[in-house]
């Protein structure tokens, strides 16, 4: 008898033991995991599947879409629209919300996703992923509209990501810590490989796109300068740098061995609060990081407390090892 725990068993036990997962949320998470397996197959085929390259179209953010951005978006919609668990979906790749069509029953959940995170890495065979966030539709509202989605991240009922790398790994929280599942390609199922993930509070590793240095705000520059000064500087220790340019892969490293990830506001586009999107990138990642004992702020306030004003709102992100995030946030507070 194998003692391996599948994603299904994990979810059933969470439902039974902790009453954290109603049946429809369990269905939703299983469907998202199934969609991630399909996306994984498309990613793995690469040039053989004709999925590389750009799609010659733009999304609502004005970014050129990759073919895989569109494929992953379609896979997630087709997998999720018919099950009766969702009222609507929202995605980085769609301007407005996608309401579940009338021919299917309407559920009580709202699903948000970044179908393919790290698009610039698709063609160069570097880890990419899918990020998702689940909210409950507010009670009493008839139908469903964009305003139903505009809830702070602390109201998420589930969040996670799947990283398509040397291993395909699904990382999930339903508010009871962080669990990691690895895709067993022979069995075709996600198997629990780590529970109760903990991010060490201290680190000597930071992740930031250094090419933007000249555009940074003073506190960010101060923090990185102090790291770069190493054992000769005020921190008294040497730091290492990593930047994969796929948030999923950078956050996965931080959940695995600690570190701090930053995509701060900068002077390139001063009217935008940051590059990353609050509702389907920063919120799910921030909840995972907090559930693993880390912290996440927009350099001033807790990300999960931000009330979104619009679906595709952007935000500055500082997340990871708690003491480091608090240090960076305190540098901003003194301004
Ligand atoms: P996406 O591919 O979904 O648009 O997200 C890319 C994001 C994020 O994954 C990554 O951390 C960051 O953009 C990389 O930005 P730079 O290219 O500016 O380094
Ligand atoms: Mn992304
Ligand atoms: Mn994306």
């Amino acid at each position: 008898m194998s003692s391996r725990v599948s994603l299904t068993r994990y979810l059933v036990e969470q439902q039974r033991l902790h009453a954290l997962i109603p049946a429809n949320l369990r269905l939703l998470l299983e469907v998202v995991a199934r969609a991630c397996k399909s996306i994984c197959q498309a990613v793995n085929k690469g040039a053989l599947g004709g999925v590389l390259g750009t799609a010659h179209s733009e999304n609502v953010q004005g970014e050129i879409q990759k073919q895989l951005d569109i494929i992953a978006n379609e896979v997630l919609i087709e997998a999720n629209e018919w099950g009766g668990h969702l009222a609507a979906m929202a995605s980085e790749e769609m301007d407005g919300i996608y309401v579940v069509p009338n021919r299917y029953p309407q559920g009580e959940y709202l699903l948000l996703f970044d179908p393919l995170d790290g698009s610039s890495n698709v063609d160069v065979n570097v880890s990419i992923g899918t990020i998702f966030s689940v909210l409950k539709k507010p009670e009493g509202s008839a139908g469903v509209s964009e305003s139903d989605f505009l809830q702070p991240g602390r109201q998420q009922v589930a969040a996670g990501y799947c990283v398509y790398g040397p291993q395909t790994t699904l990382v999930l929280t339903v508010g009871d810590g962080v669990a990691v599942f690895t895709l067993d390609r022979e069995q075709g199922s996600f198997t629990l490989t780590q529970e109760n993930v903990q991010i060490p509070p201290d680190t000597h590793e930071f992740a930031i796109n250094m090419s933007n240095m000249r555009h940074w705000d003073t506190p960010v520059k101060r923090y990185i300068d102090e790291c770069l000064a190493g054992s000769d500087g005020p921190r008294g220790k040497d730091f290492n740098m990593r930047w994969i340019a796929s948030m999923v892969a950078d956050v996965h490293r931080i959940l695995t061995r600690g570190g701090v990830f930053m995509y701060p506001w900068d002077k390139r586009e001063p009217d935008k609060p940051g590059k990353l999107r609050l509702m389907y990138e920063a919120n799910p990642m921030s909840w995972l990081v907090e559930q693993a004992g880390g912290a996440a702020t927009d350099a001033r306030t807790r990300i999960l407390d931000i009330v979104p004003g619009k679906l595709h709102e952007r935000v500055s992100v500082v997340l990871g090892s708690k003491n480091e995030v608090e240090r960076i946030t305190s540098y901003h507070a003194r301004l």
Side-chain angles (χ1 to χ4, degrees):
M1 267 279 285
S2 159
S3 60
R4 295 185 0 152
V5 175
S6 65
L7 174 66
T8 302
R9 179 169 167 186
Y10 174 86
L11 294 173
V12 166
E13 287 178 352
Q14 287 286 327
Q15 183 181 358
R16 203 182 284 152
L17 300 176
H18 309 297
L20 275 170
I21 311 184
N24 266 340
L25 181 55
R26 180 157 67 82
L27 173 65
L28 189 165
L29 294 171
E30 296 224 44
V31 171
V32 169
R34 204 156 56 229
C36 288
K37 279 193 267 182
S38 295
I39 297 168
C40 176
Q41 282 185 339
V43 168
N44 290 167
K45 283 196 179 112
L48 297 175
V51 297
L52 302 185
T54 56
H56 306 292
S57 52
E58 272 188 9
N59 65 15
V60 65
Q61 346 264 337
E63 299 162 343
I64 302 284
Q65 291 174 304
K66 296 275 183 179
Q67 288 202 68
L68 266 177
D69 288 321
I70 294 169
I71 293 167
N73 194 58
E74 282 169 0
V75 167
L76 280 156
I77 287 177
E78 280 168 20
N80 277 288
E81 66 179 355
W82 51 268
H85 50 283
L86 281 181
M89 293 176 250
S91 161
E92 178 184 317
E93 305 304 338
M94 298 188 295
D95 299 11
I97 64 168
Y98 179 91
V99 179
V100 166
N102 283 335
R103 60 184 182 278
Y104 302 121
Q106 285 256 334
E108 58 189 325
Y109 292 104
L110 306 171
L111 174 65
L112 296 109
F113 43 84
D114 174 355
L116 201 84
D117 177 64
S119 311
S120 73
N121 283 323
V122 168
D123 297 345
V124 292
N125 198 7
V126 170
S127 294
I128 52 181
T130 298
I131 311 174
F132 61 93
S133 161
V134 185
L135 294 164
K136 254 190 124 170
K137 189 167 90 94
E139 272 169 31
S141 65
V144 59
S145 66
E146 183 171 319
S147 62
D148 293 326
F149 282 81
L150 304 180
Q151 306 177 36
R154 61 170 184 271
Q155 286 174 213
Q156 292 171 104
V157 294
Y161 65 81
C162 188
V163 53
Y164 315 114
Q167 304 128 40
T168 290
T169 310
L170 181 76
V171 179
L172 177 70
T173 186
V174 289
D176 183 33
V178 176
V180 179
F181 303 84
T182 303
L183 181 62
D184 181 330
R185 289 170 203 266
E186 282 79 44
Q187 304 270 350
S189 66
F190 281 106
T191 301
L192 182 67
T193 43
Q194 199 187 350
E195 260 187 300
N196 192 24
V197 173
Q198 290 294 317
I199 300 174
D202 294 298
T203 183
H204 54 267
E205 203 158 62
F206 65 87
I208 192 165
N209 185 337
M210 293 287 288
S211 68
N212 297 324
M213 183 182 255
R214 70 190 186 284
H215 306 297
W216 293 340
D217 212 355
T218 317
V220 176
K221 202 160 184 323
R222 172 186 167 191
Y223 175 75
I224 297 297
D225 281 346
E226 288 179 1
C227 292
L228 296 178
S231 50
D232 301 332
R235 301 300 306 274
K237 61 177 180 179
D238 292 333
F239 279 76
N240 184 30
M241 193 206 86
R242 288 286 184 272
W243 184 250
I244 300 174
S246 291
M247 190 191 199
V248 275
D250 280 311
V251 169
H252 195 65
R253 184 188 60 256
I254 288 169
L255 284 169
T256 306
R257 67 179 189 212
V260 65
F261 170 96
M262 272 178 279
Y263 213 121
W265 171 90
D266 67 44
K267 291 174 195 139
R268 284 174 300 170
E269 291 185 282
D271 297 337
K272 284 188 187 160
K275 175 180 178 179
L276 298 175
R277 280 60 51 122
L278 174 62
M279 297 205 65
Y280 40 81
E281 291 179 316
N283 273 343
M285 292 312 206
S286 297
W287 197 28
L288 286 163
V289 164
E290 284 198 6
Q291 282 288 310
T297 74
D298 67 353
R300 288 182 172 80
T301 52
R302 183 185 180 222
I303 284 179
L304 295 182
D305 285 336
I306 297 172
V307 181
K310 55 182 186 187
L311 203 55
H312 298 287
E313 185 162 319
R314 293 174 191 256
V315 69
S316 278
V317 175
V318 179
L319 61 77
S321 291
K322 200 165 197 285
N323 292 339
E324 225 57 25
V325 173
E326 283 173 1
R327 174 184 285 269
I328 298 161
T329 306
S330 76
Y331 286 5
H332 285 78
R334 272 183 226 131
L335 258 192

